[in-house]
Amino acid sequence: MILAEAPTTGITAAILAEKIRSRRARVGIVGLGYVGLPLAVEFARAGFSVTGIDVSERKVQRINAGDSYVGDVPSAILSPLVAAGTLRATSDFAALDGLETVNICVPTPLRKTKDPDMSFIVSACERIVSHFHSGMLVILESTTYPGTTDEVVLPMLSKSGLHVGADFFLCFSPERVDPGNPGFRTANIPKVVGGCTPACTEMGRLFYAQALEQVIPVGSTQVAEMVKLLENTFRMINIGLANEIALMCDRMGIDVWEVIDAAATKPFGFMPFYPGPGLGGHCIPIDPFYLSWKTRQAGIEARFIELAGYINGQMPHFVADKVQNALNDAGKPVKGSRIHVMGVAYKRNIDDMRESPALDVILLLTRRGAVITYSDPYVPELKLDHLRLTASPEETAAGADCVVIVTDHEAFDYPALVERARLIVDTRNALKGIRSDKIVRL
Ligand SMILES: NC(=O)c1ccc[n+]([C@@H]2O[C@H](COP(=O)([O-])OP(=O)(O)OC[C@H]3O[C@@H](n4cnc5c(N)ncnc54)[C@H](O)[C@@H]3O)[C@@H](O)[C@H]2O)c1
């Protein structure tokens, strides 16, 4: 919805656009996590002066020491930008007084009730409002339900008495970063942006075009918000389908991996998704519930989302059953067995543990009386309820009654694992092509 008649030209817009084009606009990024830090680095590399603002003093200190804590941002890239004074971090929101643009990249988790937790966005906006001034471009990047930018952020900023589309510019732009994916980085992932007014959209487009390869303007903030939810819901539901097909194949004694690989040879109308131990990360298990929460208010039940959520949520239980059955077939009860988990991050080649299905698998097996060890080159220690685990070398697998591959990191030596392990449950098809009676596949 366009809330104000926005001139696409105007003195404030013209001055800000000129500052952006000439890269004299001072850029602010609020929230320096997996999304915010790579974005800050990209704008600094494009020649902007960038200030990152985060409530975590530890993160601020590490950035100012040129020491990256985000896997996709090597310290070797961060450190020269900090040394040159192009990129700095602070926990003081007063820095906003001297900035022209602000991207908000704070977390958007779910409450226990699976309702959106907007507290991070609201608290960031409250802090921004105190230092809000004419001629600013504000872009929300946190994944959220359609309507957030216009219904939550805009009223807070408008209390300043400034007019959107004329005195300041407000957009939503979904973040699509894929941690651990070397082929796609912030700079070469096409960026969708939608503003509260046409002038806002144009300002957002102009801003991103300075640092990113491709920008796709859309007609409203709601469209931009919905784009992200469609993308992640599409993925969550298709993984749910792959998981349900895996459960069916298991019952019928069919190799689901072979089925999917063969189906994927169809050159049109099919896109492969793969089953696994469950969903993880800050996006796919969470974002679709932002949509279902919003649509419930409009009287529509998001049935695909609920169903896929249920099936995906069953997968850790299915994996625990698989492990227990494999042990029983080998003549061992799960109680007292030593089980070694390979990989605990939520996906391969990264250190992110948020919502990792490995946590559920470990808890379920512990409750059945198993003794757990794990290996993960990215996660040195693990705290889970009363459990405190430290990563052990891959060789530990040799002493286990059963090994479960939960996360298929490329760093693991799979042929050696098959040599040394007694029994392996492979939930990711990491041992594709390896034939052995020791292997039980999902
Ligand atoms: N991680 C991903 O792969 C990914 C991908 C696409 C979209 N997203 C979305 O991007 C958003 C950020 O995700 P993330 O993974 O970067 O989260 P993150 O937890 O890694 O980083 C968020 C940062 O915000 C800081 N923060 C929290 N409250 C703040 C406040 N009031 N003011 C300033 N800083 C504050 C935290 O200290 C943290 O450093 C979320 O909405 C997420 O859904 C994430």
Side-chain angles (χ1 to χ4, degrees), residues 370-423:
V371 178
I372 305 289
T373 52
Y374 83 94
S375 296
D376 192 312
Y378 299 93
V379 184
E381 53 190 41
L382 189 63
K383 292 184 191 131
L384 179 62
D385 283 0
H386 58 283
L387 275 181
R388 294 279 178 282
L389 300 175
T390 307
S392 4
E394 287 180 50
E395 291 75 20
T396 313
D401 298 302
C402 181
V403 175
V404 199
I405 301 173
V406 178
T407 310
D408 51 344
H409 292 308
E410 282 168 13
F412 288 142
D413 184 344
Y414 293 108
L417 175 69
V418 176
E419 282 284 307
R420 60 171 75 104
R422 292 178 212 163
L423 178 64

Side-chain angles (χ1 to χ4, degrees), residues 31 33-35 54 59 108 123 142-143 175 179 228 282-283 354:
Y34 290 94
V35 166
D54 202 290
K59 287 186 176 175
T108 42
S123 120
S142 301
T143 306
E175 179 50 58
K228 176 70 185 174
H282 184 27
C283 294
R354 290 177 293 181

Side-chain angles (χ1 to χ4, degrees), residues 41-57:
V41 164
E42 225 44 74
F43 273 91
R45 290 175 87 183
F48 288 86
S49 161
V50 178
T51 303
I53 304 175
D54 202 290
V55 289
S56 161
E57 287 290 350

Side-chain angles (χ1 to χ4, degrees), residues 16 63 65 78 80 85 87 102 167 193 196 219 238 273 288 310 331 336 341 357 364 379:
L16 179 57
I63 291 174
L78 176 67
L87 175 57
V102 189
D167 303 325
V193 62
C196 292
N238 279 287
F273 284 84
Y310 173 77
V341 176
L364 289 168
V379 184

Side-chain angles (χ1 to χ4, degrees), residues 29-38 53-56 59 69-70 93 104-109 119-125 127 141-144 174-179 228 232 281-283 286-287 290 346-347 352 354:
I29 310 286
V30 173
L32 297 167
Y34 290 94
V35 166
L37 185 57
I53 304 175
D54 202 290
V55 289
S56 161
K59 287 186 176 175
Y69 46 82
V70 169
F93 278 71
I104 304 172
C105 309
V106 296
T108 42
S119 60
F120 296 90
I121 291 182
V122 169
S123 120
C125 288
R127 311 282 293 270
E141 293 215 10
S142 301
T143 306
T144 183
E175 179 50 58
R176 292 165 150 175
V177 70
D178 185 18
K228 176 70 185 174
N232 282 3
H282 184 27
C283 294
I286 291 174
D287 302 347
Y290 270 68
Y346 86 83
K347 69 172 187 175
D352 195 346
R354 290 177 293 181

